[in-house]
Amino acid sequence: MSALALLIGIIPVIGWGFFPTVSSKIGGKPANQILGATIGALIVAFVVFLVTGCGFPMGWNLVFGILSGCGWGFGQIMAFKGYTLIGSSRVMPITTAFQLIVTALWGAFALSSWPGAMNKVIGMIALVVIIIGATLTTWNENKENTNVAALRKAVIYQLIGVIGYWLYSAAPQLENLKWAEGFIPRTAPMSGLQAFLPQTIGMVLVAVIYCLTQVNKENVFKEATSYKQIIAGFFFGVAALAYLVAAQPVEKGGLGLSTAFVVSQVSVVIATLTGIYMLGQKKTHKEMVATLIGLALIIVAAAVTAFLN
């Protein structure tokens, strides 16, 4: 593992860690946030496409790439809705936990990435630990100050949104589903860089459709806040690009998929802490201790699931 690969692997931690905080700091409604964020990511992807000459996928690869981006767009809209209810510092651990659980289960049972009964048992225990960790991050010492209805609604949004995040991860892997060879088209292997631009096209597509459904209430296409959110999109886009590079095999100068994945999950710590200290989403001393323990449990359990392959 080279020092350069590790430095590249840290970029997603910073980019994805600051993304929800920057977006919340800029402000606006979920429609403003998703429109600007996806445009920013698209700009990054287009620049990468021009600079690297990585090629633009066609056929089913293009379809799968766009579907992947559509999934992320849907999931992120649900996350933005959660931010407005209970703040990014509480939503990020929840949505990260749900993503880890669904992605791990998909890999284990659809892609057979947890071979053997023992690995499956360890993996299931790790998922329970992730749930415990996420629960700790939402604990409130003063029950009378807890908006239970808002918390419940935010959690429901994240449960719905995780379907989109699952599609974001699963769509580029559909060719690996050996049990589905009869009804899922076979495609040529597609690199992460090749998938990047179609993914961002899918993200923008979902964002535009969502904003159009809201246009009778508010026309966010005419609001400056929407375009200020492009800055937040740059954070996401650069982080996604760095993750694709860092996930390359060690022999090709990367960290490998498992290591890059675990390193990237540290972003939940930055997202949570910056939300608390930069956005004023305050917690008591006991709540901070519970939050830090919960974050540690999420990261350790994520590491366990990533290395069960």
Side-chain angles (χ1 to χ4, degrees):
M1 181 188 303
S2 69
L4 178 60
L6 187 57
L7 286 173
I8 294 173
I10 292 173
I11 293 174
V13 176
I14 299 170
W16 285 335
F18 277 96
F19 168 61
T21 302
V22 171
S23 183
S24 297
K25 190 71 174 177
I26 293 171
K29 298 167 284 292
N32 299 115
Q33 293 171 312
I34 194 65
L35 181 63
T38 55
I39 291 174
L42 178 63
I43 292 171
V44 173
F46 189 68
V47 171
V48 170
F49 170 74
L50 292 178
V51 171
T52 64
C54 57
F56 190 75
M58 301 301 292
W60 282 106
N61 274 342
L62 176 60
V63 173
F64 291 156
I66 291 176
L67 278 176
S68 174
C70 287
W72 182 88
F74 175 76
Q76 193 58 43
I77 288 170
M78 296 298 108
F80 283 141
K81 284 178 175 290
Y83 297 169
T84 62
L85 289 170
I86 60 173
S88 60
S89 66
R90 293 185 184 274
V91 170
M92 276 303 293
I94 297 171
T95 191
T96 299
F98 287 167
Q99 288 180 64
L100 287 169
I101 291 168
V102 170
T103 302
L105 290 175
W106 170 257
F109 296 101
L111 302 174
S112 303
S113 59
W114 289 354
M118 182 55 70
N119 278 356
K120 285 182 172 60
V121 170
I122 294 173
M124 295 304 293
I125 293 173
L127 296 185
V128 172
V129 172
I130 289 172
I131 294 172
I132 294 171
T135 302
L136 282 172
T137 65
T138 64
W139 178 72
N140 196 317
E141 184 179 4
N142 302 311
K143 300 300 181 185
E144 64 275 12
N145 294 332
T146 303
N147 189 332
V148 177
L151 178 59
R152 184 185 299 115
K153 194 172 182 180
V155 171
I156 292 172
Y157 278 143
Q158 304 324 299
L159 279 171
I160 296 171
V162 79
I163 298 171
Y165 287 128
W166 162 78
L167 184 60
Y168 176 58
S169 298
Q173 300 174 336
L174 291 178
E175 65 178 46
N176 298 323
L177 297 178
K178 299 189 184 304
W179 49 268
E181 290 182 357
F183 56 92
I184 290 182
R186 298 292 90 190
T187 63
M190 178 172 55
S191 71
L193 285 179
Q194 289 174 325
F196 192 28
L197 183 55
Q199 283 176 335
T200 55
I201 291 173
M203 293 173 188
V204 172
L205 181 63
V206 165
V208 169
I209 292 173
Y210 175 70
C211 292
L212 287 174
T213 65
Q214 307 291 308
V215 77
N216 288 333
K217 303 175 186 176
E218 53 186 349
N219 188 349
V220 298
F221 297 101
K222 294 182 178 180
E223 295 177 4
T225 304
S226 299
Y227 302 101
K228 291 178 182 177
Q229 286 287 347
I230 290 175
I231 298 171
F234 289 156
F235 278 83
F236 172 82
V238 171
L241 170 63
Y243 176 73
L244 293 173
V245 175
Q248 293 298 304
V250 175
E251 56 270 19
K252 293 185 178 180
L255 296 176
L257 181 60
S258 294
T259 304
F261 173 77
V262 172
V263 172
S264 72
Q265 297 312 299
V266 181
S267 62
V268 70
V269 176
I270 294 179
T272 302
L273 296 181
T274 55
I276 292 170
Y277 292 112
M278 295 177 65
L279 300 177
Q281 298 168 5
K282 301 298 183 183
K283 289 177 179 280
T284 67
H285 175 71
K286 289 182 179 179
E287 290 169 355
M288 277 300 301
V289 171
T291 296
L292 292 175
I293 293 173
L295 292 173
L297 290 176
I298 290 172
I299 292 170
V300 171
V304 171
T305 62
F307 289 103
L308 288 177
N309 297 336

